[in-house]
Amino acid sequence: MLDRIAEFFIFGFAPLVVGMLVTPDFALAAQRTVKGEVTYRERIALPPDAVLEVQLADVSLADAPATIVAEQKIRPAGQVPIRFKLKFDRSAVRPHASYALQARITVDGRLWFVTDTRHQIDPLHTDRATLMLTRVSQAAGPAPSIFDTEWLAEDIGGRGVIDTARSTLRIERSGRASGLGACNRYFASAKVKGSSVSFTGVGATMMACAPAMMDQERKLFEALRKAASFRFEQGKLHLVDAKGRDLARFAKDK
């Protein structure tokens, strides 16, 4: 009996106590933080509704969308310099991969300032960084409108589109959305408020086309259903999901 009790303390209770003591340390060791600030050279005050987005991205693959490791959205942004703090798990950082910080300031879904050069860092050995943003030339001009414009998809899900397959989007001020999926005509209801947008009741005709066209159409409909906001960059419309990830990019259809 005494032998069994001793065995419990050696092989059961003692490892449990040790595990309880070391687990918090392991959790803390796994967490990393990159702090910094965002600024720009122009002597321009930001409007009260300006939004700052800062991301730590894996930019190793030139022909694929960057993988976001950590991000922070500051709303309202306030005035520069604007401090940010990105927290991430060190296990998300791959050996020999390339990482960069990127940021943008938008006002009512419209791009005002952006990082136009790659700010590459080693996330595991960088504690503080300063990002210098560049003003977008269209910031002082009239804002583009999401309404009553025929938008042609250039990219869906970070994979581009088929040159011969047109995927379009048109949103009317009445809230009606419609377009060509790639094979079928579709329709939906759109709710736009500020830079927020959502699509419901997406339906389409039932024609069958080549598998690649049907796949592009399916991805477009999926992007519409996931859309939570939009922004304009260089006159192009970007649909964005609730986590700030790009879903699709459109240009004005000529």
Side-chain angles (χ1 to χ4, degrees):
M1 183 65 180
L2 292 176
D3 290 342
R4 291 184 179 179
I5 294 175
E7 183 179 348
F8 168 74
F9 273 93
I10 295 174
F11 297 104
F13 182 70
L16 176 61
V17 172
V18 172
M20 292 173 63
L21 292 174
V22 301
T23 297
D25 292 334
F26 283 139
L28 290 174
Q31 293 294 319
R32 289 288 301 167
T33 301
V34 174
K35 300 179 182 179
E37 63 181 26
V38 169
T39 188
Y40 49 76
R41 293 185 177 88
E42 289 78 5
R43 296 173 64 86
I44 300 173
L46 293 173
D49 56 345
V51 179
L52 169 65
E53 296 176 68
V54 185
Q55 297 176 329
L56 172 64
D58 183 339
V59 294
S60 305
L61 302 177
D63 58 347
T67 300
I68 306 303
V69 177
E71 60 185 336
Q72 183 183 15
K73 181 178 289 188
I74 301 174
R75 184 199 307 263
Q79 303 299 328
V80 295
I82 308 167
R83 293 191 179 95
F84 66 86
K85 182 187 294 185
L86 299 176
K87 295 182 179 181
F88 60 95
D89 195 309
R90 65 182 301 132
S91 63
V93 177
R94 300 182 298 119
H96 312 300
S98 297
Y99 294 89
L101 291 173
Q102 53 195 31
R104 64 166 62 97
I105 295 175
T106 57
V107 178
D108 195 22
R110 177 172 161 232
L111 185 67
W112 275 42
F113 293 91
V114 67
T115 44
D116 63 348
T117 58
R118 178 175 291 188
H119 191 103
Q120 194 157 329
I121 67 167
D122 179 350
L124 299 182
H125 297 90
T126 301
D127 294 322
R128 184 168 294 278
T130 298
L131 299 179
M132 181 66 68
L133 274 56
T134 300
R135 186 183 182 190
V136 177
S137 59
Q138 70 175 14
S145 175
I146 195 174
F147 296 111
D148 302 322
T149 300
E150 194 79 12
W151 298 101
L152 177 64
E154 293 183 333
D155 180 273
I156 303 173
R159 300 297 179 183
V161 293
I162 303 169
D163 291 339
T164 56
R166 290 171 52 84
S167 295
T168 66
L169 170 64
R170 182 180 180 85
I171 302 175
E172 299 176 7
R173 294 185 182 277
S174 63
R176 182 177 183 273
S178 61
L180 181 64
C183 176
N184 290 280
R185 298 293 305 180
Y186 72 90
F187 52 87
S189 295
K191 183 178 181 180
V192 180
K193 185 176 181 180
S195 61
S196 299
V197 64
S198 60
F199 298 90
T200 56
V202 180
T205 56
M206 301 295 289
M207 288 178 55
C209 296
M213 294 179 65
M214 297 300 292
D215 184 59
Q216 178 171 310
E217 183 170 280
R218 178 186 60 79
K219 290 178 179 177
L220 174 65
F221 295 164
E222 182 178 340
L224 294 178
R225 294 187 181 100
K226 290 182 178 180
S229 64
F230 68 92
R231 71 175 188 277
F232 292 106
E233 288 187 15
Q234 306 297 328
K236 296 184 179 182
L237 170 66
H238 294 247
L239 294 183
V240 183
D241 70 9
K243 294 183 178 181
R245 297 173 297 196
D246 281 5
L247 297 168
R249 183 183 72 246
F250 299 83
K252 287 185 178 181
D253 192 12
K254 298 177 180 180

